[in-house]
Amino acid sequence: MLTKASSAADAAMTRRSVRAYLDTPVTDDELHSLLELTGRAPSSRNVQPWRFIVVRDQSIKNALEDASYGQKQVGGAPVVIVLYADMDDTMANLGEIVHPDVTPEKRAATLASLEQSFGAMSAEERAAWANGQANIALGYLLLIAASKGFGTAPMLGFQADRIKAILDIPASATITAMVALGRPGEDGFRSHRHAVERITRFR
Ligand SMILES: Cc1cc2nc3c(=O)[nH]c(=O)nc-3n(C[C@H](O)[C@H](O)[C@H](O)COP(=O)(O)O)c2cc1C
């Protein structure tokens, strides 16, 4: 059974998808800590376009499961975290991502530069860019969960429009992943990964 990892390296080596969970509840404090640490993920220009919806209500989890081709880990997990990227929210609040320590002049210049950069992109390009950033947070979430002894099942097998309707996620947002989470009730499959030499060239 997955045990608590003691380092990032340990978490990377031991984590695997877990699709069955114990009934043990996940506390508010545990979730807060998990999401606070996940939010430490870096992003281009520190834009942090990721947003989370934490679902514990069984009837909502059941609806999410139905919109996820009946994947049992959705309704069966104590918690389902829906991670999405929202550039409309991000762009409406660009001021909050500018570092508080910069001068007013630097702040104004940064805001103008961000507005210029994002304004030059199409809505589709912005959504794809933000989803790329939110995937960094997804990696953090999975590793941090493993380090705290949680099992997780990341998922993309769902009907995004239905998930958005159930959770009132803006149509313009991109759902990066759904993550079922709880204390592990199974071991999961042994990891199967490329060797470094297969995917790397040293020059
Ligand atoms: C973005 C993403 C989407 C995934 N979608 C699903 C899914 O919809 N259903 C599922 O059972 N597993 C899903 N997986 C799990 C992968 O199949 C799994 O991570 C991969 O086979 C490696 O196994 P491991 O997670 O146990 O190391 C997804 C994983 C990722 C990262």
Side-chain angles (χ1 to χ4, degrees), residues 45 94-95 97-114:
R45 307 190 72 178
L94 283 177
I97 61 178
V98 181
H99 199 288
D101 295 350
V102 299
T103 61
E105 294 73 26
K106 172 77 176 157
R107 178 179 183 80
T110 303
L111 279 173
S113 164
L114 286 166

Side-chain angles (χ1 to χ4, degrees), residues 48-70:
Q48 308 163 65
W50 44 75
R51 303 290 183 267
F52 305 94
I53 298 180
V54 178
V55 182
R56 287 191 283 194
D57 181 287
Q58 191 59 51
S59 64
I60 301 177
K61 284 188 287 181
N62 291 345
L64 295 177
E65 178 174 311
D66 198 52
S68 306
Y69 308 105

